[in-house]
Amino acid sequence: MGTDMGTETGTDTGAGMDRELTAEQPAGSGRTVISDSAVAKVAGIAAKTVAGVYSLGSGPSRALGAIRDAVGSSDHAAGVRAEVGETQVAVDINLVAVYGYPLHDVANQVRAAVYSAVEKLVGLQVIEVNIEINDVYIAPPVKPGGKAGTEREALQ
């Protein structure tokens, strides 16, 4: 954990001759494991950047998320499930859309954002992104005189 293997140089003695390693050649052999939760977090962050996405998750996970937000923590993978194989990944996302945004457009934009982020940042091929829109957020109406209340609060 404490060493950065990506910047080391060394010699390859496997073929009997010395060879300097470059950025394209790994410093050594080994196995990299990327967890389902790491991919889910990348996918969740990408999904939240799409206009028309109010939040991720179903009712109970959103309630837990509200508690996390109140204490200054957040779960970027809430509402996201990833299944990681050796070279491929599948992602399932539950989300709440904002009223006024076409739901199919929101789903397609989320799918595109997740494909791009996971393939670019994780380096795995995305085979599918399944999206379930389980609710639509409708903003509460603005109360008359609402600005006066906020101005009063700003003065205190």
Side-chain angles (χ1 to χ4, degrees):
M1 272 188 146
T3 61
D4 182 8
M5 298 297 287
T7 59
E8 290 186 14
T9 60
T11 59
D12 180 11
T13 58
M17 70 171 93
D18 291 343
R19 182 169 52 125
E20 186 171 333
L21 299 176
T22 65
E24 295 170 3
Q25 300 164 334
S29 63
R31 194 175 122 210
T32 301
V33 177
I34 300 174
S35 72
D36 293 355
S37 61
V39 174
K41 190 173 281 191
V42 169
I45 292 169
K48 288 178 183 178
T49 64
V50 174
V53 173
Y54 178 71
S55 66
L56 300 179
S58 60
S61 69
R62 288 195 325 264
L64 185 58
I67 294 168
R68 277 194 194 102
D69 289 343
V71 296
S73 178
S74 63
D75 181 9
H76 296 290
V80 182
R81 197 177 115 248
E83 293 180 32
V84 179
E86 286 188 32
T87 60
Q88 297 178 325
V89 63
V91 179
D92 296 325
I93 298 178
N94 289 308
L95 64 85
V96 177
V98 176
Y99 178 79
Y101 287 84
L103 300 182
H104 279 285
D105 290 349
V106 170
N108 288 335
Q109 290 173 17
V110 167
R111 187 172 289 113
V114 169
Y115 265 90
S116 176
V118 170
E119 289 183 349
K120 180 178 179 181
L121 299 175
V122 179
L124 296 174
Q125 177 189 18
V126 179
I127 55 172
E128 66 180 0
V129 176
N130 300 309
I131 298 171
E132 179 181 339
I133 299 176
N134 56 40
D135 202 356
V136 174
Y137 172 76
I138 302 171
V142 177
K143 295 180 182 178
K147 287 187 177 183
T150 57
E151 289 173 7
R152 188 173 345 140
E153 290 170 4
L155 293 174
Q156 293 178 350

